[in-house]
Amino acid sequence: MTQAPQYLLALYIAQHRDEPPISSGTVAEMLGRSGATTSETFQRLAGHGLVTYEPYEGATLTEDGWERAAELHETYVTLSWFFRDALDLEEHELKAMRLANDVSTVVSEQLAATLLQDELDDRAGE
């Protein structure tokens, strides 16, 4: 389940936009993956109790899945902000989604504090 966190995070974001269940196609499009791969991953996540999954209908995060995805989302937001504003990267959201699980909470919090301080310093200098 090496890429499972990406799917949890994408599902979390999609559930904020639409009512669950979220189709495999929606998450596949968000991640640039195939619908078949996404369906297989949803089945594995269901086996671990992180989602409920119904073929041809979609997936919904369970309480455990929601908690895990919420943690990932905080890091995702920080990375996305950094990639967009500091590095001016294209596809910053996708890159952040793919790395969110690999960045520790401590690093994410320090990066967010640095970005916030830089933004405050920029505003003070205006």
Side-chain angles (χ1 to χ4, degrees):
M1 291 208 343
T2 59
Q3 296 177 353
Q6 294 173 30
Y7 289 87
L8 288 174
L9 182 54
L11 192 54
Y12 180 86
I13 292 167
Q15 280 190 215
H16 276 87
R17 296 177 183 162
D18 295 315
E19 271 305 302
I22 304 299
S23 73
S24 298
T26 297
V27 172
E29 186 175 320
M30 291 173 72
L31 296 174
R33 302 277 162 64
S34 73
T37 299
T38 302
S39 294
E40 289 172 14
T41 303
F42 282 169
Q43 290 170 357
R44 284 195 302 275
L45 291 170
H48 290 279
L50 298 170
V51 304
T52 57
Y53 176 67
E54 288 295 325
Y56 307 107
E57 288 187 31
T60 304
L61 290 166
T62 62
E63 187 175 328
D64 287 344
W66 186 268
E67 288 175 16
R68 176 67 181 120
E71 293 169 9
L72 289 167
H73 189 258
E74 290 181 31
T75 301
Y76 158 78
V77 169
T78 300
L79 289 173
S80 184
W81 180 16
F82 174 68
F83 292 159
R84 182 192 65 224
D85 291 357
L87 301 181
D88 195 30
L89 293 177
E90 291 185 27
E91 297 183 346
H92 58 273
E93 292 174 337
L94 181 58
K95 288 175 176 36
M97 198 172 296
R98 290 186 175 162
L99 288 175
N101 189 56
D102 296 331
V103 175
S104 74
T105 303
V106 171
V107 170
S108 177
E109 289 170 355
Q110 290 176 339
L111 181 58
T114 300
L115 289 167
L116 183 57
Q117 186 60 52
D118 288 350
E119 188 170 309
L120 292 172
D121 290 346
D122 287 347
R123 289 183 184 178
E126 291 179 358

